Amino acid sequence: MAMTGVLRPGHVQLRVLDLDESIKFYGDVLGLIETGRDQHGRVYFKCWDEHDHSSFIIREAEAPGMDYMGFRVLDVPTLNDIEKKLNDYGLETTRIPAGELLETGERVRFTTPSGHEIEFYAEKNKVGNGLGNVSPAPWAPEREKGMGPVHLDHCLLYGPNIDETAKIFTELLGFRVTENILDPEGGNAAHFMSTSHKPHDIAFVNYPEPGKFHHASFLLETWEQVLRAADIMSMHKVNVDIGPTRHGVTRGMTIYAWDPSGNRFETFAGGYFAYPDKEKIVWPAEDFGQGLDYPQRKLHESFLTIVT
Ligand code: M3P
Ligand code: FE
């Protein structure tokens, strides 16, 4: 498919309780590569097969959670167009100057009706994946570090007004709803949305409290890598939430677990291709458990209640 407009999830910034502990966790246990530190005390990471400077940023704070999620857009005219569309719709935006985030250009940010800070940017310096662009090897040595995630894939966010939020993502930002989970009244309990051919790039679950973070998800290459990640989690006494198992929703083979601050992360492999002509999938409320955990068909209480 032609890729224009919003290209992909580019970065997420999370709050952590203890920076040093988190640097060890995300670097050595998850296996991200540290790419920088800034004057505000933020630490920047990327996954081994990402080419942009950073995809995952942490800062120390009193409470865990997500500061914002950022999407890379095609170019500066696209960024300006997104700002205009949001403003014309009646949404306030703020411009964050280039360089505020290391190696990253100007960003345009707005608050979703679900209470999340979402931003867009057209420029972030390319540092490459270490393999070059001429006859590259299929993987870099860093793949063997920790769980070895390939890239930051998506976030799942909890908050109110998810229909209004989905409307903004679909009508203004060019996303498509790939899957809905329904509530018992037939309304939407969850929207899974894609701006690419992935089953989702962002998802929202209906929740009374605004701006809550459920998980950031990292792609692994195979089911064997997911099982290897499970072994690493146990070796390091990581708190595991669900899995290894398979989601019905998106078909991802998955583990949910928590970082030392209580922020949930996911490591997963697989999923289908979601080209723009693919029809939407629906999960009636009674199948929510199957959508979450296909083999066990279990609507885990922690999935619904534990967010940061
Ligand atoms: C994911 C995923 C639900 C499934 C969630 C799925 C809400 O997190 O990455 O596919 O049932
Ligand atoms: Fe996920």
Side-chain angles (χ1 to χ4, degrees), residues 19-24 27 33-45 53-54 56-58 99-103:
L19 194 64
D20 290 333
E21 183 186 35
S22 301
I23 292 167
K24 282 203 190 78
I33 300 158
E34 188 183 322
T35 56
R37 297 188 185 200
D38 71 17
Q39 62 191 28
H40 308 292
R42 293 180 293 192
V43 182
Y44 297 64
F45 298 92
H53 173 263
S54 50
F56 192 79
I57 303 132
I58 55 174
E100 194 279 334
L101 201 59
L102 282 188
E103 312 263 346

Side-chain angles (χ1 to χ4, degrees), residues 154 200 215 217 256 266:
H154 63 268
H200 64 324
H215 69 266
S217 185
Y256 285 149
E266 174 177 40

Side-chain angles (χ1 to χ4, degrees), residues 156 162-163 166 170 175-182 187-194 197-205 246-252 270-275 278-284 287-288 290-292 294:
L156 175 57
I162 61 166
D163 288 345
T170 53
F175 286 62
R176 305 175 312 282
V177 176
T178 54
E179 306 203 25
N180 278 136
I181 302 171
L182 304 184
N188 293 310
H191 288 283
F192 290 75
M193 290 183 282
S194 179
H197 66 275
K198 287 157 51 192
H200 64 324
D201 292 296
I202 192 166
F204 291 91
V205 167
R246 183 206 280 278
H247 293 303
V249 176
T250 76
R251 290 191 205 149
Y272 54 80
F273 289 93
Y275 287 103
K278 187 178 184 305
E279 290 176 1
K280 190 176 79 175
I281 290 169
V282 173
W283 297 83
D287 298 331
F288 197 154
Q290 204 172 31
L292 176 60
Y294 198 79

Side-chain angles (χ1 to χ4, degrees), residues 150-177:
V150 177
H151 69 221
L152 171 72
D153 192 86
H154 63 268
C155 288
L156 175 57
L157 307 175
Y158 272 39
N161 309 316
I162 61 166
D163 288 345
E164 178 64 8
T165 301
K167 186 168 187 255
I168 292 163
F169 273 82
T170 53
E171 292 184 11
L172 307 186
L173 302 171
F175 286 62
R176 305 175 312 282
V177 176

